[in-house]
Amino acid sequence: MQGRLASIGAEEIRLSEGWNLILTEPGACLNPHDIPLSAKVIAAEVPGTVAAALEKAGLFDRENPHPLDSDDAWYICRLFDAQPGDAILRFEGLATLCYVFLNGQEILSSESMFTAHEIPVTLLGGDELALCFRALAPRLAESGPRARWRPQMITPQGLKNVRTTLLGRMPGWCPEIHAVGPWRPITLVRRDVVSIDDVSVRAVLEGDGTGRLSVSLHADVDNPDLSLRCGGIEQPFEKVGDKHYSAILRLKDVETWWPHTHGSPALYDFSVVVDGVEHPVGKTGFRSIEVERGPDGDDFALRINGQPVFCRGAVWATADIVRLPGDRADYEPFLRFAAEAGMNMIRIGGTMAYETPDFFRLCDELGLLVWQDFMFANFDYPKSDKAFTAHVHAEVEEFLHGVQCSPSLAVVCGGSEIYQQAAMLGLPKEFWTNPITEEIIPAIASRMRPDVPYVVNSPSGGSMPFSPDAGVTHYYGVGAYMRPLTDARRANVRFAAESLAFAHVPQQKTLERHLDLPPVHSPLWKARVPRDRGASWDFEDVRDFYLAELYDLDPARLRREDVGRYLDLSRAVTGEVIEETFAEWRRKGSPCNGALVWTLQDLLPGPGWGVIDSTGEPKPAWYAMRRAFRPVQVLLTDEGTNGLDVHVINETADALQLDLELVCLRQGRQHVVSGGRILTLAPRSQQKFASTDLFGAFFDTTYAFRFGPPSHDVVVARLRLPDGGAVVADAFYFPLGRSKALHEAEIQVSVTRSEDGWVADIGADSFVQSVHVNANGYQTSDDWFHLAPGGAKRVRLLPRPGTNIDDLPSGEVLGLGGSRPVIF
């Protein structure tokens, strides 16, 4: 739920404290006066949820949740500090069947979690505000319009008729924690003598580089002195109707907003000046977004400001499934990690919940594109239910109004896997479609955000909606379907709105603190492993498949005989799959224009889908994504008897001078052949080189011809700053497989203090796979990385809260092929 831009010239007070929560039997109390005096009272916060209040009181365990939709939940507050008089009560989100009482009189009934309400009231002083969230379970048990199909992953089926989140309703995907309560703020608003609201904003980048800012608003007095101020320019408003005013301001040669991988996310403050007093409204940015479909019409590629952008990132879940928070402080750690990993797109899927304008403001600042699904997924939603359709109109309009200033909003999408669900059940194409996603939502989106492309459903576009070689897909050939890594090329992926789901193992310290039990063998461990409901396998089985493929080991035997090594290989393997797959998708000549990993964060500590664990700690896979997503990048691809190709990418706006090096190593240390080239990389360009061109002669880098025994076990490519400068990017290829390139090496570690803080310089006399740096009290800038001989790798040590940075850091470093760690 998004709400409107804050009114100008109005006093707004958040009603966040003094709330009591009381649970009663369904329907036992018709109004707050019926609540028995003996009822148990629990302190609660607003915004908040029943689960959060119970958890704080020690009455709810997120790891073993009990149902929360079988009782009525009453929130009651006395407005002792509110002065008598006229006011507006603004409810920004009520989950889900809610009745609001003021002094015992019902003033509102709400049936959607995703719509806001503004109710004019007259306060008397010491008023009682009560909210009753009726039990949802009886409503879900009611029969609604007959559906043409029933998705298996979501329970119960009655959810298709109710506007609430699917979080907590997907067994095997997430903990069954039900969203109940005032999950978004409740505000008391008093308008001033002059108040301005219904502010509508549109920022457009014109073809000649001019930024056009259009603002319209409603003022409750006649002929106020109004002007729009932005970028050092002021433009008077003109009256366009009864108490409605409009201004159009143009900024010549405006600084454009870019995703951070391709430029600077430039933002402009703008304000409305009322009778000489400036009132800040917000920030916006100027950019253009277009979708290219290619000559065959099957592509899906985003062009930002006229430039093609390879989109990469992850699917957002929630900052906390118990609290469902919406403040900047809750979003910021996850979104900053996303940007630091080189992600430039976040997708909010249709199975989740709408996030607040704070989320989009952070993405605006960080240069993260947002793909926004509307909250429709998998179901055959009602087509002719007028009340349901009214809810759809309200939630779509409110969401788009709340993010109307955000340049980060890049794609709006009708929902998730509705078409796919119908198609996979064998239904013909005419059964897939629905007026909600085909007519209602696109009409509203084109009116309110015409600058943002619309996608009817994710996935969609091919002969089957899930076909990866056309339009938008959800690609799990590599991943859930356990296809070989070569399938990433064979599938001819155009754009994957989700992909590469694995049960990513967290760092050992996370397990020791939050899940200290026998991994894999414990039922509690298995409960944290995601699975598709009804499937005979889970996503740990998927990870084990690739562990066997890449390291030529039996995972079942390994975890029985050496569980520590099994976990380390499990931590390494999902990152290796991610790096190799994105190398395929980002190479010169690839048809792929973007891919998002499922998912950004976990909901509970353990081996979940997230590349960041639920405590906010990056997993080993996050570091792999950071390497895979570098804007300046070198990649290696096996082209069989054509040899090894080297791809160099520069996505930045600057021309770069770099040195490219390529070397083949035997036993991880002996140079067999090497070559290189001094490069000038044009802005936003790609180059491809055959390895033989860099060597100046034939050499069987891929061991495709097999003339005699293999001469090398690893190939190392590096991009360096000129004259032996720092390594900007590196890549590795294993012609005999990773298992043949596991070497015992002598690792050297030197810790020193630089201008930026503590750094660890790590070197080795032989090639080392998946080097793990465990620094006490510090997070590292890189981890689980390959290390080649011939120069140390510098790793920054980033202090955690509470760490004394004056003390010399300590810890250990261990490579995947090593038998004991190096202590520093």
Side-chain angles (χ1 to χ4, degrees), residues 652-734:
T652 74
D654 302 317
L656 300 177
Q657 298 287 332
L658 296 170
D659 293 344
L660 173 63
E661 304 171 355
L662 190 68
V663 58
C664 298
L665 301 175
R666 178 187 293 129
Q667 296 299 312
R669 67 181 68 195
Q670 181 181 348
H671 282 224
V672 177
V673 64
S674 61
R677 186 163 296 182
I678 298 173
L679 301 177
T680 299
L681 297 178
R684 303 195 173 100
S685 67
Q686 291 181 309
Q687 294 188 40
K688 181 180 75 171
F689 306 95
S691 57
T692 50
D693 288 345
L694 299 177
F695 297 146
F698 170 73
F699 182 77
D700 190 7
T701 49
T702 59
Y703 194 50
F705 295 95
R706 304 183 184 275
F707 295 152
S711 59
H712 63 297
D713 51 44
V714 64
V715 181
V716 182
R718 292 190 183 101
L719 272 182
R720 288 186 182 275
L721 296 177
D723 303 320
V727 174
V728 175
D730 50 13
F732 306 90
Y733 171 74
F734 305 93

Side-chain angles (χ1 to χ4, degrees), residues 81-220:
D81 297 329
Q83 296 298 314
D86 293 339
I88 293 173
L89 280 171
R90 179 183 293 162
F91 302 91
E92 296 190 18
L94 303 168
T96 291
L97 304 179
C98 183
Y99 297 84
V100 180
F101 300 84
L102 183 65
N103 299 325
Q105 298 297 312
E106 183 181 320
I107 60 171
L108 170 68
S109 64
S110 174
E111 293 194 340
S112 172
M113 176 178 176
F114 303 132
T115 53
H117 303 275
E118 292 185 347
I119 308 298
V121 296
T122 299
L123 301 181
L124 307 175
D127 303 80
E128 181 189 73
L129 182 61
L131 289 67
C132 178
F133 296 90
R134 295 295 182 189
L136 189 58
R139 172 67 70 87
L140 297 178
E142 295 175 2
S143 60
R146 183 170 180 175
R148 294 168 295 178
W149 69 83
R150 293 189 172 193
Q152 187 176 29
M153 61 175 267
I154 305 168
T155 59
Q157 297 299 315
L159 283 164
K160 75 179 189 300
N161 304 314
V162 180
R163 297 307 300 140
T164 193
T165 180
L166 299 181
L167 282 168
R169 307 285 183 172
M170 298 172 283
W173 277 39
C174 61
E176 296 184 50
I177 299 170
H178 301 145
V180 183
W183 72 303
R184 290 294 181 250
I186 299 174
T187 309
L188 184 67
V189 181
R190 294 185 188 273
R191 300 197 183 279
D192 204 342
V193 175
V194 177
S195 63
I196 293 171
D197 55 18
D198 289 340
V199 182
S200 296
V201 181
R202 185 169 297 172
V204 175
L205 180 64
E206 297 183 336
D208 63 355
T210 296
R212 185 178 80 240
L213 180 64
S214 304
V215 177
S216 64
L217 49 81
H218 173 272
D220 65 355

Side-chain angles (χ1 to χ4, degrees), residues 360-597:
F360 287 84
R361 281 191 281 268
L362 266 167
C363 291
D364 294 342
E365 295 170 20
L366 295 170
L368 291 169
L369 301 165
V370 181
W371 174 303
Q372 175 71 59
D373 283 4
F374 291 97
M375 296 301 121
F376 300 92
N378 294 80
F379 283 118
D380 180 22
Y381 289 97
K383 289 186 174 182
S384 55
D385 186 323
K386 292 183 179 179
F388 188 90
T389 301
H391 289 317
V392 175
H393 276 273
E395 74 180 66
V396 172
E397 289 178 356
E398 287 173 18
F399 167 76
L400 291 173
H401 189 91
V403 298
Q404 61 183 318
C405 300
S406 292
S408 59
L409 184 62
V411 177
V412 289
C413 178
S416 174
E417 296 192 350
I418 299 173
Y419 291 12
Q420 172 174 304
Q421 186 74 70
M424 282 194 162
L425 291 172
L427 296 173
K429 191 169 185 177
E430 58 266 23
F431 278 68
W432 308 349
T433 59
N434 188 300
I436 292 172
T437 59
E438 298 273 349
E439 301 167 16
I440 297 172
I441 298 178
I444 299 170
S446 65
R447 170 170 53 86
M448 299 187 69
R449 285 301 301 258
D451 60 313
V452 178
Y454 179 75
V455 174
V456 69
N457 203 249
S458 181
S460 60
S463 57
M464 287 285 107
F466 45 82
S467 300
D469 62 352
V472 175
T473 190
H474 293 179
Y475 174 74
Y476 292 112
V478 175
Y481 306 143
M482 292 180 268
R483 304 283 296 170
L485 296 186
T486 53
D487 191 72
R489 179 176 296 194
R490 185 179 295 115
N492 205 28
V493 175
R494 303 301 179 97
F495 193 105
E498 59 189 64
S499 64
L500 300 176
F502 298 96
H504 297 292
V505 179
Q507 300 278 28
Q508 186 61 28
K509 56 193 168 197
T510 297
L511 296 182
E512 291 170 354
R513 293 171 187 166
H514 301 280
L515 197 62
D516 192 12
L517 46 81
V520 182
H521 303 290
S522 168
L524 293 176
W525 174 277
K526 272 298 185 184
R528 302 292 173 85
V529 177
R531 64 165 61 241
D532 283 332
R533 185 168 178 252
S536 61
W537 49 270
D538 62 25
F539 283 82
E540 194 153 59
D541 297 324
V542 173
R543 188 188 69 229
D544 282 352
F545 171 83
Y546 291 99
L547 192 156
E549 286 283 298
L550 269 62
Y551 296 100
D552 196 25
L553 291 167
D554 178 1
R557 180 175 180 179
L558 181 63
R559 67 177 179 245
R560 287 197 303 269
E561 297 178 354
D562 191 345
V563 71
R565 181 163 173 74
Y566 168 78
L567 287 177
D568 281 344
L569 283 162
S570 296
R571 292 182 178 104
V573 70
T574 56
E576 291 292 286
V577 173
I578 287 172
E579 286 197 72
E580 190 157 329
T581 304
F582 272 95
E584 167 58 41
W585 287 339
R586 293 187 69 193
R587 67 178 171 85
K588 185 177 176 64
S590 168
C592 186
N593 303 297
L596 310 177
V597 168

